[in-house]
Amino acid sequence: MTHDFSQEITGDRESENSQNQEGNNWQQYFTFNTDHKVIGIQYMVMTFMFFLIGGLLAMLIRAELLTPESNLVDRPLYNGLFTMHGTIMIFLWIIPFNAGLSNYLVPLMIGARDMAFPLLNAISFWILPPAGLLLLSSFFVPNGTAQSGWWSYPPISLQIPGGGLINGEFIWIVSLVLIGISSIMGAVNFMTTIFWMRAPGMTFFRMPVFVWSVLSAQLLQLINLPALTGALILLLFDLSFGTQFFKPDGNGDPIIYQHLFWFYSHPAVYIMALPAFGIFAEVLPAFSRNPLFGYRSVALATLGIAFISIFVWAHHMFTSATPGWMRMTFMATSMLVAIPTGIKAFAWTATIWRSKLHLETPMLFAMGGAAMFIFGGVTGVMLAATPFDIHVNNTYFVVGHFHYIVFNTITMAIFAAIYYWFPKITGRMYAEGWGKLHFWLTFIPANITFFSMHPLGLQGMLRRVSSYDPQYQGWNIIASLASFLLGASTLPFIANIVGSWLYGPRAVDNPWHATGLEWTTSSPPPRDNFEEIPIVKRPPYDYGNPKYSIIENSNNNE
Amino acid sequence: MQRRTIHIDESPIRFDLWRRRLPNWLQRFLPSGGGSHEDHHGKGMFGFTVFLLSESIIFLSFIFTYVALRLTTKNWLPPGISGPELSTIVVINTVVLLSSSFVIQPAENALKRNQLKKFRWLWLITIAMGSYFLVGLLIEWKSLDFKITTGLVGSTFYLLTGFHGLHVLAGVVLQIIMLIRSFIPGNYNKTHFGTSATTLFWHFVDVVWVFLFSLLYLWRA
Ligand code: HEM
Ligand SMILES: [Cu+2]
């Protein structure tokens, strides 16, 4: 079966789409819609709002840390700030943004008309806004938000000031359970979609690496997230209904919470990171005009990372009276992660090696993010070495490590994705100059901010404190000032995205001459994605062979 | 510079090859690309199975907590408390719940063969058995001399039986919905996925009970 592309060259199809998009039905984004593309945009826009809120909280934290004394906010509020910052960034920014991006892209990339269960998909999304608002509402209850950090370790999390049933910790638990339910429903949907909805000829080893990443990340959601949900239910019972699972004075054991929590939350770092790796695997080949190096190994390494990450959780518990054999075992398994991750990093490098790079904004963000991951990965392996970890545990070194990954790698990858698929999603082009400005305004301050945390941690500055010894002030001032600049960098981004979405020049269907299936349909895609379901006959990333794209007979490459 | 195209299909790992060797029932869960879009039943059952996988992890996390606490706690039973009893109520309850799996399966098979009447009768008996279990659970709870706040025994016991009981309740509600739907004319085909999923869920709830029963009542202090 051949696909008729002749219409696409003549402009009338394009104007038809733009109508279809411009039909002034922006209201659909505020309603219960079952189109995976609408849901994807709903996710992405909503989570970006939370990113802004989380970012404002971070600015407040950094403002407090400008001086050694605790003077800007009082300690309970400071505790609330870092707790909410961490919770929002992880559970309402990175993870659901990835869910939104995957929602938009996976059906297009595998040649499906929609997700497997569109209704369930819409429900998964609509659980999130109430859960997020509930979480934020805790700023206004007596005694304020939860105080004990995003990991909410008992017994600290259970020592809330006396008073009513409704308190910050209670609200925190309930909204996290809701977010968890949403994610599990999403995971069921993604698994089914990827297994059942692939277009004819789209074998597993013709799927783009992004789809492999979503598959692996959602598998982790399914297998590991319920453990967190279980732990939170137990915590809720301890907090509000008088049980003592985690209360040491009632014979309970807080360490059990740590096991359950990290059984999810270590894999969670890969639930966040794998889609970012997937984005690199799409963007780097497209802008170096090279096939992704070692496609099969990269795909299998993705699954491998997911698999290994299930068995490393106790490396977060080296200082929790963990017995020696456990420390040794988990140190070893953690080091193992370096192998599949190394394969990935090698493949990225080999893909762009000695090719002619096209340094448009998505490529800048992807290369920047991939490079920063090397740094964050190295400090991760350092932390997995028990003796070193015992030394820097709970210091700013850990904060530096994970921000290199969650911000410098994953958030950068998210920006790469936004710019890369912007023409597909909106049918318009963004402004390149503004994009580059955004990149440099992000890349440089982010590195200054998060690099400064490593020497601070090595010198012994503890995390989660609002006042510190004056000897640490130098690096703290550097980190704070750079972080304010980092905060300001979102302004050109918002201006660019909003302005281009409304007034940008029309984009063609495949502005990057990329090979994925999503580029063979119009921009933005019609309601059912494809005029006719494509038959896939080629591997992805066929950049080495400019005559072909993933579908035979397509004329994507001029 | 001349570049060699990397031909991905050259690799020795062939998913399609070993897929063909898998037994039939597994293949239903691993469709190859294309052709399965319209198979709503298969798609639905796949999704539901995957969902049950994550449900079992919640149960596992509770069971892990129970076992870990029980192994490390010296005075598992507070003074004057004898813990959950293997009473006649519990035994009858267990027998009723486990045998209901052997009622619901023929019911589902009957529906597959279009024997609507037989389906309804067997389905109704399953509902009765499930409801009996729930009532029995409440009676047992009433007869016990400890509460959820009575030490770790109480906390874990009510957590595990309560969470399982909620699942039995959900199963019974699903069964009632499917029964009602079987009376709506023309709706009979659409109910089919629902009945299959409910049947699977019911087996799941039964299997979980086997574990909980052994851990709570057979593992003596
Ligand atoms: C792939 C992306 C990664 C992400 C998103 C990530 C994220 C994080 C986060 C959020 C924390 C802090 C948890 C807390 O609040 O205490 C953390 C700590 C840690 N990470 Fe990573 N990490 C990644 C990679 C790695 C790798 C590859 C390793 C080791 C091989 C590693 C080893 C550790 C260790 C041992 C800690 C605990 C440090 C401590 O608390 O003393 N991480 N990571
Ligand atoms: Cu970890």
Side-chain angles (χ1 to χ4, degrees), chain A residues 150-151 262 269-270 273 315-316 334 373 380-381 383-384 389 393 398 401-402 405-406 410 463-464:
Chain A
W150 76 285
W151 54 19
W262 287 113
V269 309
Y270 287 100
H315 68 207
H316 295 272
S334 306
F373 175 70
V381 176
L383 285 171
D389 181 71
N393 175 266
V398 173
H401 153 68
F402 71 75
I405 294 187
V406 290
I410 302 176
R463 67 201 279 207
R464 298 176 177 169

Side-chain angles (χ1 to χ4, degrees), chain A residues 192-276:
Chain A
T192 315
T193 305
I194 295 173
F195 271 92
W196 282 76
M197 309 283 285
R198 282 169 290 126
M202 178 57 85
T203 60
F204 272 99
F205 281 117
R206 282 183 190 158
M207 296 194 313
V209 169
F210 184 80
V211 180
W212 277 96
S213 309
V214 174
L215 180 69
S216 315
Q218 297 297 334
L219 197 65
L220 290 177
Q221 290 277 39
L222 270 174
I223 296 177
N224 299 73
L225 181 56
L228 176 70
T229 310
L232 291 178
I233 292 174
L234 297 179
L235 195 65
L236 187 71
F237 271 80
D238 272 6
L239 182 74
S240 306
F241 305 120
T243 59
Q244 40 241 186
F245 299 109
F246 303 139
K247 288 180 192 153
D249 45 2
N251 274 337
D253 187 356
I255 302 292
I256 291 178
Y257 176 87
Q258 295 191 13
H259 279 292
L260 292 175
F261 178 83
W262 287 113
F263 183 72
Y264 170 67
S265 291
H266 177 79
V269 309
Y270 287 100
I271 291 168
M272 297 184 264
L274 287 173

